[in-house]
Amino acid sequence: MNHTPYSERRARLAKQLGKGAIAVVPTAPVQQRNRDSDFPYRADSYFYYLTGFTEPDAWLVLDSDGRSTLFCQPKDPERETWTGYRLGPKAAPAALGVDEAHSFEELDERMPGLLANTRTVWYPFATHAGLETVVDSWLQDVRGQARAGLLVPDSQRDVCTLLDEMRLVKDAHELAIMRRAGQISAQGHVRAMQLSARQLHAGAGVREYHLEAELLHEFRRNGSQFPAYTSIVAAGANACVLHYPAGDAPLKKGELVLIDAACELDGYASDITRTFPADGKFSGPQRALYDVVLASQRAAFEATRPGARFDDPHNAAVKVLVQGLLDLKILDRNQVGGVQDVIKKRAYFPFYMHRTSHWMGMDVHDCGSYVEPGEADQVTEQHDPISGQTVQKRPSRILRPGMVLTLEPGLYIRPAKNVPKPFWNIGIRIEDDAVVTKSGCELLTRGVPVDADEIEALMRAAA
Ligand code: GLY
Ligand code: MN
Ligand code: MN
């Protein structure tokens, strides 16, 4: 394995720990699904970011001089017959670039020695159940030896605060993986569109889970280890349920299908939504609404550049969505006023109830503060017209090259008496992944068409 990016990250983290400090980062535990059967194992994102190591029962310890110690599963031929090959402590330094490695069974024995004479211990807060207690027990051990003149660390700090900032700005190694994940996911969406068109044109049935199967097949056959999140494949009115998981509803001619599905590749997520007509042809109202959402996403795209704020793409998208809702008379101008009134009162909320973006990286909703760190104390209080409560606002994050965020506006029109009937039960979301570049942003997920005419052409060709 090329351990260079991981070694570099460890060195960068070590420099931020401060003098005489140590960081402890465990990986994720194995989770049981039911008797004798576990969930597919996925390493902890922070741990993987620093090691590239995917075995369970592993811990990284790093000191402020950059010295790294890995604790991992010991070689055990009998266990390995059941659960698979283990790297083992002997091979770990060469494979992972760590300075030394030991069995995780030696953790409690060795940690007090590693912590003694340091000032600060860093570990992830509120991430691993019981970790605080484990660290406490090591510190107790060190304290027990204090009479021998050992120093006991007197400060505990959250290593996530450092790692979140590091992970927020992606390096070249990460962006290469994310680009590839985006391509694979896009190809999965293409296949789902093609299958839908083919089946409906042949007069054959097709259900949500058939499309999910196309997506998962495409992800896995390209080396993706997992879907990045539970696939949403929502036929017709199901699209108005934001987290609807693919079920068994049949796709119907004349209805839309919303797919929000994407793969995880080598620890990195992608996140794509497309909405398309099940049989490949948009109706008039569907197309009108679709074009509003697409225009709003374009506005968000144009607002995504270095120096802009995280909130800017959202605000740009909302403006276009609101204008569209007024133009299509889904919102009645006589009742709600103009664009600015609707935004102020958030009268668009019944039709657009989520944000336009989230950070994306190893986690699909990735870590990283949404508030600009240097401006966190600039608090303004605002009245929230939906909840009726006063909420605190802080200036949102300033975008920098290498940050990755989604652009995912949508409109969800449930039946309601004041809403024109042709729009009832239409749910549309369009989602792409944007990496902030030096001059704007690059979309990683445009291997699947987004323009309505292009979607129709792709589906015509497949039918
Ligand atoms: N697929 C999860 C999201 O769009 O946020
Ligand atoms: Mn998303
Ligand atoms: Mn999504």
Side-chain angles (χ1 to χ4, degrees):
M1 184 174 79
N2 170 18
H3 51 71
T4 314
Y6 309 104
S7 308
E8 277 171 5
R9 290 173 201 155
R10 290 195 293 269
R12 273 171 58 210
L13 176 62
K15 280 203 189 100
Q16 299 175 67
L17 296 177
K19 257 195 152 67
I22 203 156
V24 183
V25 182
T27 195
V30 172
Q31 304 270 7
Q32 192 181 53
R33 184 168 185 272
N34 51 34
R35 195 190 314 247
D36 291 345
S37 176
D38 296 333
F39 281 105
Y41 182 71
R42 184 189 185 271
D44 173 81
S45 296
Y46 293 114
F47 177 84
Y48 183 82
Y49 180 76
L50 293 170
T51 61
F53 189 49
T54 55
E55 288 183 25
D57 286 320
W59 299 63
L60 175 73
V61 181
L62 181 71
D63 72 20
S64 26
D65 295 328
R67 186 164 181 82
S68 53
T69 306
L70 184 85
F71 291 89
C72 61
Q73 299 179 112
K75 292 297 281 179
D76 181 339
E78 199 210 316
R79 287 310 307 155
E80 288 179 54
T81 306
W82 290 89
T83 56
Y85 170 77
R86 296 174 174 183
L87 180 63
K90 205 162 146 211
L96 305 175
V98 292
D99 295 303
E100 57 181 285
H102 306 283
S103 163
F104 78 95
E105 288 156 350
E106 296 174 29
L107 193 67
D108 288 339
E109 187 186 313
R110 290 183 178 268
M111 276 313 296
L114 288 166
L115 288 168
N117 298 320
T118 63
R119 308 302 306 269
T120 306
V121 51
W122 296 80
Y123 59 92
F125 286 11
T127 323
H128 302 265
L131 180 57
E132 292 82 354
T133 316
V134 171
V135 174
D136 270 359
S137 73
W138 297 334
L139 292 176
Q140 249 172 27
D141 265 28
V142 185
R143 200 171 290 133
Q145 303 170 54
R147 269 174 297 154
L150 298 183
L151 287 180
V152 188
D154 58 5
S155 145
Q156 301 187 24
R157 300 195 61 186
D158 185 3
V159 76
C160 299
T161 58
L162 304 177
L163 288 171
D164 287 352
E165 283 300 298
M166 288 173 67
R167 282 175 53 190
L168 181 55
V169 178
K170 276 68 184 172
D171 60 34
H173 178 260
E174 298 181 285
L175 287 177
I177 301 171
M178 292 180 82
R179 216 166 259 127
R180 175 85 185 120
Q183 284 163 357
I184 296 169
S185 299
Q187 194 49 37
H189 279 256
V190 168
R191 277 181 75 129
M193 288 179 186
Q194 288 170 332
L195 180 76
S196 189
R198 219 165 36 237
Q199 291 297 101
L200 288 192
H201 279 256
V206 61
R207 291 174 186 267
E208 291 166 340
Y209 62 72
H210 290 122
L211 301 197
E212 184 188 24
E214 289 297 300
L215 291 152
L216 298 181
H217 175 79
E218 189 64 18
F219 299 167
R220 192 68 182 120
R221 86 183 189 93
N222 281 292
S224 146
Q225 293 83 359
F226 314 101
Y229 51 91
T230 304
S231 306
I232 296 168
V233 180
N238 292 337
C240 293
V241 178
L242 294 180
H243 289 166
Y244 175 88
D248 60 4
L251 273 49
K252 295 194 189 121
K253 236 185 173 101
E255 286 187 347
L256 296 178
V257 189
L258 182 155
I259 296 182
D260 184 346
C263 73
E264 178 179 305
L265 180 72
D266 298 341
Y268 287 83
S270 47
D271 190 1
I272 305 185
T273 309
R274 288 293 183 268
T275 310
F276 58 91
D279 62 341
K281 182 83 192 126
F282 284 93
S283 72
Q286 288 168 352
R287 175 71 190 249
L289 214 52
Y290 187 89
D291 285 345
V292 169
V293 178
L294 184 57
S296 79
Q297 200 212 31
R298 197 160 295 136
F301 169 79
E302 274 154 22
T304 304
R305 56 186 134 72
R309 298 270 176 178
F310 177 82
D311 281 350
D312 290 346
H314 177 68
N315 293 336
V318 164
K319 219 180 268 178
V320 176
L321 291 175
V322 168
Q323 184 66 59
L325 289 168
L326 291 168
D327 292 346
L328 297 174
K329 303 199 174 0
I330 295 169
L331 280 173
D332 181 354
R333 201 177 294 269
N334 296 321
Q335 290 193 3
V336 293
V339 171
Q340 287 315 320
D341 304 304
V342 172
I343 291 174
K344 195 154 171 246
K345 288 185 274 194
R346 281 217 281 151
Y348 59 84
F349 193 73
F351 311 109
Y352 186 46
M353 61 300 276
H354 60 79
R355 307 266 320 167
T356 303
S357 302
H358 53 80
W359 302 131
M360 211 194 59
M362 305 191 76
D363 303 343
V364 65
H365 289 187
D366 208 27
C367 59
S369 171
Y370 288 92
V371 170
E372 181 61 24
E375 299 173 348
D377 52 3
Q378 293 179 27
V379 182
T380 51
E381 300 220 315
Q382 284 177 18
H383 173 75
D384 178 45
I386 303 293
S387 67
Q389 301 196 331
T390 302
V391 288
Q392 290 197 342
K393 291 272 177 203
R394 293 175 170 80
S396 76
R397 193 83 199 214
I398 296 172
L399 300 179
R400 282 169 47 198
M403 291 178 172
V404 179
L405 64 158
T406 61
L407 303 175
E408 52 176 307
L411 285 174
Y412 312 91
I413 318 292
R414 289 174 178 277
K417 123 167 144 301
N418 296 329
V419 171
K421 218 166 175 175
F423 297 113
W424 285 13
N425 292 318
I426 298 179
I428 294 170
R429 178 164 65 257
I430 300 171
E431 175 173 29
D432 285 285
D433 306 339
V435 51
V436 181
T437 60
K438 276 194 190 127
S439 56
C441 72
E442 171 198 344
L443 298 178
L444 304 176
T445 41
R446 280 297 172 87
V448 51
V450 70
D451 181 85
D453 288 336
E454 285 175 27
I455 289 175
E456 288 186 346
L458 181 147
M459 294 183 74
R460 239 188 342 265

PDB file of all heavy atoms in Angstrom, residues 229 260 270-273 356-360 364-365 406-408 429 431-433, ligand 2:
ATOM      1  N   TYR A 229     -24.766   5.348   1.324  1.00  0.00           N
ATOM      2  CA  TYR A 229     -25.926   5.520   2.222  1.00  0.00           C
ATOM      3  C   TYR A 229     -27.046   4.675   1.629  1.00  0.00           C
ATOM      4  O   TYR A 229     -26.904   4.142   0.524  1.00  0.00           O
ATOM      5  CB  TYR A 229     -26.325   7.011   2.310  1.00  0.00           C
ATOM      6  CG  TYR A 229     -26.496   7.673   0.964  1.00  0.00           C
ATOM      7  CD1 TYR A 229     -27.722   7.710   0.324  1.00  0.00           C
ATOM      8  CD2 TYR A 229     -25.400   8.227   0.295  1.00  0.00           C
ATOM      9  CE1 TYR A 229     -27.868   8.280  -0.930  1.00  0.00           C
ATOM     10  CE2 TYR A 229     -25.532   8.805  -0.954  1.00  0.00           C
ATOM     11  CZ  TYR A 229     -26.773   8.829  -1.568  1.00  0.00           C
ATOM     12  OH  TYR A 229     -26.913   9.386  -2.809  1.00  0.00           O
ATOM     13  N   ASP A 260     -31.895   8.827  -5.287  1.00  0.00           N
ATOM     14  CA  ASP A 260     -30.788   9.435  -4.543  1.00  0.00           C
ATOM     15  C   ASP A 260     -29.941   8.262  -4.061  1.00  0.00           C
ATOM     16  O   ASP A 260     -30.289   7.599  -3.084  1.00  0.00           O
ATOM     17  CB  ASP A 260     -31.341  10.264  -3.376  1.00  0.00           C
ATOM     18  CG  ASP A 260     -30.239  11.010  -2.607  1.00  0.00           C
ATOM     19  OD1 ASP A 260     -29.052  10.677  -2.808  1.00  0.00           O
ATOM     20  OD2 ASP A 260     -30.577  11.897  -1.807  1.00  0.00           O
ATOM     21  N   SER A 270     -19.871   9.370  -2.435  1.00  0.00           N
ATOM     22  CA  SER A 270     -20.409  10.285  -3.442  1.00  0.00           C
ATOM     23  C   SER A 270     -21.896  10.401  -3.121  1.00  0.00           C
ATOM     24  O   SER A 270     -22.394   9.685  -2.250  1.00  0.00           O
ATOM     25  CB  SER A 270     -20.142   9.770  -4.855  1.00  0.00           C
ATOM     26  OG  SER A 270     -20.490   8.408  -4.959  1.00  0.00           O
ATOM     27  N   ASP A 271     -22.595  11.284  -3.792  1.00  0.00           N
ATOM     28  CA  ASP A 271     -23.982  11.555  -3.409  1.00  0.00           C
ATOM     29  C   ASP A 271     -24.684  12.194  -4.606  1.00  0.00           C
ATOM     30  O   ASP A 271     -24.411  13.355  -4.935  1.00  0.00           O
ATOM     31  CB  ASP A 271     -23.965  12.501  -2.188  1.00  0.00           C
ATOM     32  CG  ASP A 271     -25.327  12.672  -1.546  1.00  0.00           C
ATOM     33  OD1 ASP A 271     -26.295  12.046  -2.012  1.00  0.00           O
ATOM     34  OD2 ASP A 271     -25.417  13.441  -0.577  1.00  0.00           O
ATOM     35  N   ILE A 272     -25.521  11.404  -5.282  1.00  0.00           N
ATOM     36  CA  ILE A 272     -26.171  11.908  -6.511  1.00  0.00           C
ATOM     37  C   ILE A 272     -27.675  11.708  -6.428  1.00  0.00           C
ATOM     38  O   ILE A 272     -28.139  10.651  -6.011  1.00  0.00           O
ATOM     39  CB  ILE A 272     -25.704  11.136  -7.772  1.00  0.00           C
ATOM     40  CG1 ILE A 272     -24.183  11.160  -7.912  1.00  0.00           C
ATOM     41  CG2 ILE A 272     -26.357  11.693  -9.035  1.00  0.00           C
ATOM     42  CD1 ILE A 272     -23.674  10.524  -9.198  1.00  0.00           C
ATOM     43  N   THR A 273     -28.417  12.707  -6.856  1.00  0.00           N
ATOM     44  CA  THR A 273     -29.853  12.530  -7.072  1.00  0.00           C
ATOM     45  C   THR A 273     -30.203  12.931  -8.505  1.00  0.00           C
ATOM     46  O   THR A 273     -29.741  13.967  -9.001  1.00  0.00           O
ATOM     47  CB  THR A 273     -30.689  13.403  -6.113  1.00  0.00           C
ATOM     48  OG1 THR A 273     -30.243  13.181  -4.781  1.00  0.00           O
ATOM     49  CG2 THR A 273     -32.165  13.059  -6.210  1.00  0.00           C
ATOM     50  N   THR A 356     -29.588  23.142   0.927  1.00  0.00           N
ATOM     51  CA  THR A 356     -29.115  22.840  -0.428  1.00  0.00           C
ATOM     52  C   THR A 356     -27.803  22.065  -0.406  1.00  0.00           C
ATOM     53  O   THR A 356     -27.470  21.406  -1.395  1.00  0.00           O
ATOM     54  CB  THR A 356     -28.958  24.170  -1.198  1.00  0.00           C
ATOM     55  OG1 THR A 356     -30.224  24.842  -1.163  1.00  0.00           O
ATOM     56  CG2 THR A 356     -28.530  23.960  -2.638  1.00  0.00           C
ATOM     57  N   SER A 357     -27.057  22.139   0.692  1.00  0.00           N
ATOM     58  CA  SER A 357     -25.705  21.571   0.678  1.00  0.00           C
ATOM     59  C   SER A 357     -25.344  20.939   2.010  1.00  0.00           C
ATOM     60  O   SER A 357     -25.913  21.286   3.047  1.00  0.00           O
ATOM     61  CB  SER A 357     -24.672  22.668   0.393  1.00  0.00           C
ATOM     62  OG  SER A 357     -24.939  23.302  -0.831  1.00  0.00           O
ATOM     63  N   HIS A 358     -24.406  20.038   1.946  1.00  0.00           N
ATOM     64  CA  HIS A 358     -23.695  19.561   3.136  1.00  0.00           C
ATOM     65  C   HIS A 358     -22.281  19.234   2.691  1.00  0.00           C
ATOM     66  O   HIS A 358     -22.030  18.975   1.511  1.00  0.00           O
ATOM     67  CB  HIS A 358     -24.392  18.349   3.775  1.00  0.00           C
ATOM     68  CG  HIS A 358     -24.673  17.205   2.822  1.00  0.00           C
ATOM     69  ND1 HIS A 358     -23.711  16.300   2.447  1.00  0.00           N
ATOM     70  CD2 HIS A 358     -25.799  16.846   2.161  1.00  0.00           C
ATOM     71  CE1 HIS A 358     -24.258  15.417   1.618  1.00  0.00           C
ATOM     72  NE2 HIS A 358     -25.518  15.726   1.415  1.00  0.00           N
ATOM     73  N   TRP A 359     -21.365  19.233   3.623  1.00  0.00           N
ATOM     74  CA  TRP A 359     -20.001  18.809   3.291  1.00  0.00           C
ATOM     75  C   TRP A 359     -20.036  17.332   2.902  1.00  0.00           C
ATOM     76  O   TRP A 359     -20.850  16.554   3.421  1.00  0.00           O
ATOM     77  CB  TRP A 359     -19.051  18.951   4.475  1.00  0.00           C
ATOM     78  CG  TRP A 359     -18.889  20.309   5.086  1.00  0.00           C
ATOM     79  CD1 TRP A 359     -18.955  20.599   6.411  1.00  0.00           C
ATOM     80  CD2 TRP A 359     -18.581  21.544   4.418  1.00  0.00           C
ATOM     81  NE1 TRP A 359     -18.722  21.933   6.615  1.00  0.00           N
ATOM     82  CE2 TRP A 359     -18.493  22.537   5.413  1.00  0.00           C
ATOM     83  CE3 TRP A 359     -18.391  21.913   3.093  1.00  0.00           C
ATOM     84  CZ2 TRP A 359     -18.209  23.868   5.121  1.00  0.00           C
ATOM     85  CZ3 TRP A 359     -18.112  23.247   2.797  1.00  0.00           C
ATOM     86  CH2 TRP A 359     -18.026  24.201   3.793  1.00  0.00           C
ATOM     87  N   MET A 360     -19.131  16.924   2.062  1.00  0.00           N
ATOM     88  CA  MET A 360     -19.048  15.522   1.689  1.00  0.00           C
ATOM     89  C   MET A 360     -17.589  15.076   1.618  1.00  0.00           C
ATOM     90  O   MET A 360     -16.715  15.854   1.231  1.00  0.00           O
ATOM     91  CB  MET A 360     -19.723  15.309   0.344  1.00  0.00           C
ATOM     92  CG  MET A 360     -20.334  13.935   0.259  1.00  0.00           C
ATOM     93  SD  MET A 360     -20.757  13.524  -1.391  1.00  0.00           S
ATOM     94  CE  MET A 360     -19.169  13.657  -2.141  1.00  0.00           C
ATOM     95  N   VAL A 364     -20.809  10.728   4.132  1.00  0.00           N
ATOM     96  CA  VAL A 364     -21.623  11.427   3.123  1.00  0.00           C
ATOM     97  C   VAL A 364     -22.044  12.797   3.651  1.00  0.00           C
ATOM     98  O   VAL A 364     -22.025  13.784   2.899  1.00  0.00           O
ATOM     99  CB  VAL A 364     -22.812  10.572   2.628  1.00  0.00           C
ATOM    100  CG1 VAL A 364     -23.821  10.298   3.725  1.00  0.00           C
ATOM    101  CG2 VAL A 364     -23.500  11.240   1.455  1.00  0.00           C
ATOM    102  N   HIS A 365     -22.405  12.869   4.911  1.00  0.00           N
ATOM    103  CA  HIS A 365     -22.561  14.177   5.564  1.00  0.00           C
ATOM    104  C   HIS A 365     -21.266  14.355   6.350  1.00  0.00           C
ATOM    105  O   HIS A 365     -21.144  13.890   7.476  1.00  0.00           O
ATOM    106  CB  HIS A 365     -23.777  14.190   6.494  1.00  0.00           C
ATOM    107  CG  HIS A 365     -25.085  14.161   5.745  1.00  0.00           C
ATOM    108  ND1 HIS A 365     -26.297  14.306   6.348  1.00  0.00           N
ATOM    109  CD2 HIS A 365     -25.362  14.010   4.428  1.00  0.00           C
ATOM    110  CE1 HIS A 365     -27.265  14.244   5.441  1.00  0.00           C
ATOM    111  NE2 HIS A 365     -26.717  14.056   4.267  1.00  0.00           N
ATOM    112  N   THR A 406     -22.300  19.234  -1.513  1.00  0.00           N
ATOM    113  CA  THR A 406     -23.333  18.869  -2.476  1.00  0.00           C
ATOM    114  C   THR A 406     -24.127  20.106  -2.854  1.00  0.00           C
ATOM    115  O   THR A 406     -24.193  21.081  -2.093  1.00  0.00           O
ATOM    116  CB  THR A 406     -24.308  17.834  -1.888  1.00  0.00           C
ATOM    117  OG1 THR A 406     -24.957  18.405  -0.748  1.00  0.00           O
ATOM    118  CG2 THR A 406     -23.583  16.556  -1.480  1.00  0.00           C
ATOM    119  N   LEU A 407     -24.731  20.045  -4.029  1.00  0.00           N
ATOM    120  CA  LEU A 407     -25.689  21.072  -4.464  1.00  0.00           C
ATOM    121  C   LEU A 407     -26.958  20.311  -4.788  1.00  0.00           C
ATOM    122  O   LEU A 407     -26.999  19.599  -5.794  1.00  0.00           O
ATOM    123  CB  LEU A 407     -25.145  21.813  -5.693  1.00  0.00           C
ATOM    124  CG  LEU A 407     -23.766  22.476  -5.520  1.00  0.00           C
ATOM    125  CD1 LEU A 407     -23.289  23.079  -6.834  1.00  0.00           C
ATOM    126  CD2 LEU A 407     -23.813  23.542  -4.422  1.00  0.00           C
ATOM    127  N   GLU A 408     -27.955  20.392  -3.915  1.00  0.00           N
ATOM    128  CA  GLU A 408     -29.092  19.492  -4.037  1.00  0.00           C
ATOM    129  C   GLU A 408     -30.442  20.135  -3.750  1.00  0.00           C
ATOM    130  O   GLU A 408     -31.153  19.732  -2.829  1.00  0.00           O
ATOM    131  CB  GLU A 408     -28.900  18.269  -3.143  1.00  0.00           C
ATOM    132  CG  GLU A 408     -28.558  18.558  -1.689  1.00  0.00           C
ATOM    133  CD  GLU A 408     -28.483  17.268  -0.867  1.00  0.00           C
ATOM    134  OE1 GLU A 408     -29.453  16.502  -0.905  1.00  0.00           O
ATOM    135  OE2 GLU A 408     -27.452  17.040  -0.199  1.00  0.00           O
ATOM    136  N   ARG A 429     -35.681  16.289  -6.993  1.00  0.00           N
ATOM    137  CA  ARG A 429     -34.419  16.768  -6.421  1.00  0.00           C
ATOM    138  C   ARG A 429     -33.338  16.498  -7.456  1.00  0.00           C
ATOM    139  O   ARG A 429     -33.388  15.470  -8.154  1.00  0.00           O
ATOM    140  CB  ARG A 429     -34.108  16.071  -5.094  1.00  0.00           C
ATOM    141  CG  ARG A 429     -32.784  16.495  -4.476  1.00  0.00           C
ATOM    142  CD  ARG A 429     -32.622  16.131  -2.984  1.00  0.00           C
ATOM    143  NE  ARG A 429     -32.577  14.710  -2.711  1.00  0.00           N
ATOM    144  CZ  ARG A 429     -33.572  14.003  -2.224  1.00  0.00           C
ATOM    145  NH1 ARG A 429     -34.748  14.588  -1.967  1.00  0.00           N
ATOM    146  NH2 ARG A 429     -33.457  12.706  -2.001  1.00  0.00           N
ATOM    147  N   GLU A 431     -29.122  16.514  -7.520  1.00  0.00           N
ATOM    148  CA  GLU A 431     -27.981  16.618  -6.601  1.00  0.00           C
ATOM    149  C   GLU A 431     -26.680  16.239  -7.292  1.00  0.00           C
ATOM    150  O   GLU A 431     -26.574  15.160  -7.896  1.00  0.00           O
ATOM    151  CB  GLU A 431     -28.202  15.689  -5.400  1.00  0.00           C
ATOM    152  CG  GLU A 431     -27.019  15.642  -4.451  1.00  0.00           C
ATOM    153  CD  GLU A 431     -27.306  14.862  -3.169  1.00  0.00           C
ATOM    154  OE1 GLU A 431     -28.138  13.925  -3.216  1.00  0.00           O
ATOM    155  OE2 GLU A 431     -26.711  15.189  -2.134  1.00  0.00           O
ATOM    156  N   ASP A 432     -25.709  17.127  -7.195  1.00  0.00           N
ATOM    157  CA  ASP A 432     -24.357  16.847  -7.672  1.00  0.00           C
ATOM    158  C   ASP A 432     -23.364  17.226  -6.587  1.00  0.00           C
ATOM    159  O   ASP A 432     -23.684  17.969  -5.664  1.00  0.00           O
ATOM    160  CB  ASP A 432     -24.077  17.639  -8.964  1.00  0.00           C
ATOM    161  CG  ASP A 432     -24.798  17.033 -10.162  1.00  0.00           C
ATOM    162  OD1 ASP A 432     -24.339  15.984 -10.648  1.00  0.00           O
ATOM    163  OD2 ASP A 432     -25.828  17.599 -10.584  1.00  0.00           O
ATOM    164  N   ASP A 433     -22.145  16.713  -6.748  1.00  0.00           N
ATOM    165  CA  ASP A 433     -21.086  16.958  -5.761  1.00  0.00           C
ATOM    166  C   ASP A 433     -20.079  17.942  -6.352  1.00  0.00           C
ATOM    167  O   ASP A 433     -19.559  17.702  -7.443  1.00  0.00           O
ATOM    168  CB  ASP A 433     -20.374  15.639  -5.415  1.00  0.00           C
ATOM    169  CG  ASP A 433     -21.363  14.570  -4.957  1.00  0.00           C
ATOM    170  OD1 ASP A 433     -22.483  14.939  -4.525  1.00  0.00           O
ATOM    171  OD2 ASP A 433     -21.024  13.375  -5.041  1.00  0.00           O
TER     172      ASP A 433
HETATM  173 MN    MN B   2     -26.770  14.962  -0.142  1.00  0.00          MN
END
